[in-house]
Amino acid sequence: MNSYVTEKLQEKGFDFPIPFVILEVCNPQEAARVLSENLLAGYFLPCKIVVYKENETTKIGMPKPTMLISMMNHEELKKLAEDIEKRLISCIDECR
């Protein structure tokens, strides 16, 4: 699911001219692995990638899965998050 923030804010009557999109990224196999380790990890799913324009430059970024999972202090989830993060960064790098 993608959230077109600009359009949604404009629909609600707010003057927000900056193109801003939140992409929700989910790999069902990885989500099942993470949730089977700890259901509380569901608070961090799906992963999000943010795309917006600033000064005629397109910016792409994300909250790092490793930083989010680190709040849980769970070693196995940390390893999964590291792997997922590497793959997401690779995808973002291919878009540049």
Side-chain angles (χ1 to χ4, degrees), residues 16-30:
F16 190 80
I18 301 166
F20 195 99
V21 178
I22 301 171
L23 305 170
E24 293 183 332
V25 182
C26 180
N27 177 317
Q29 181 178 357
E30 297 300 342

Side-chain angles (χ1 to χ4, degrees), residues 40 50 68:
L40 293 176
V50 174
L68 297 172

